[in-house]
């Protein structure tokens, strides 16, 4: 295998990891693996202390991990038992911001008032 073959393989692995870190419009990036590797159960405070400055990419921009999970910090006893619970909490908090333009469809749906009936 040549040097360029090694780079191509590395690029493919990076692309696969990048694709695996996107969930319902939220790009977790390296945070996804860090959350998987984190020791659970853990509190929201511990997570925010550890990863608060990380950015989550949304279709409309970026938002920090701290800002997204901010409401959870109001419940100091809030615990997460695994990375899946943390990801679900993030997805719950970003809501429609992660899905792009609300009520948008590129499927060419016609308005009922403009369709003709035969």
């Amino acid at each position: 295998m040549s040097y360029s073959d090694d780079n191509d393989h590395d690029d493919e692995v990076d692309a696969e990891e990048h694709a695996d870190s996107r969930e319902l419009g939220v790009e977790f990036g390296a945070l996804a693996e860090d959350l998987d590797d984190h020791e659970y159960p853990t509190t929201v405070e511990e997570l925010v202390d550890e990863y608060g400055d990380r950015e989550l990419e949304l279709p409309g921009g970026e938002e920090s991990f701290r800002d997204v999970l901010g409401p959870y910090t109001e419940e100091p006893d809030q615990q997460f038992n695994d990375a899946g619970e943390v990801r679900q909490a993030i997805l719950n908090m970003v809501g429609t911001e992660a899905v792009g333009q609300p009520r948008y469809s590129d499927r060419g749906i016609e308005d009922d008032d403009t369709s003709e009936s035969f």
Side-chain angles (χ1 to χ4, degrees):
M1 184 182 288
S2 72
Y3 178 72
S4 84
D5 289 341
D6 286 341
N7 284 341
D8 290 344
H9 181 274
D10 290 343
D11 290 344
E12 290 173 16
V13 170
D14 288 344
E16 287 176 22
E17 288 175 359
H18 185 72
D20 290 343
S21 68
R22 178 173 295 282
E23 201 170 324
L24 297 175
V26 177
E27 175 57 54
F28 287 87
L31 179 60
E33 187 174 335
D34 291 338
L35 290 174
D36 287 340
D37 293 341
H38 193 85
E39 191 172 318
Y40 294 93
T42 189
T43 65
V44 67
E45 186 176 283
E46 291 171 1
L47 290 170
V48 169
D49 286 346
E50 183 78 21
Y51 310 112
D53 293 334
R54 301 285 189 88
E55 294 292 324
L56 299 164
E57 293 182 37
L58 307 173
E62 295 181 339
E63 195 166 348
S64 75
F65 183 82
R66 174 177 284 108
D67 289 344
V68 171
L69 287 185
Y72 282 92
T73 61
E74 295 172 9
E75 299 177 32
D77 296 333
Q78 174 70 42
Q79 283 200 346
F80 295 99
N81 294 312
D82 58 38
E85 287 185 3
V86 179
R87 282 192 294 274
Q88 187 60 54
I90 291 168
L91 295 173
N92 289 344
M93 296 311 293
V94 296
T96 58
E97 296 169 28
V99 295
Q101 184 177 358
R103 302 181 50 82
Y104 172 78
S105 174
D106 61 356
R107 297 185 187 268
I109 298 173
E110 294 182 22
D111 189 0
D112 288 340
D113 295 337
T114 61
S115 62
E116 292 183 24
S117 166
F118 292 98

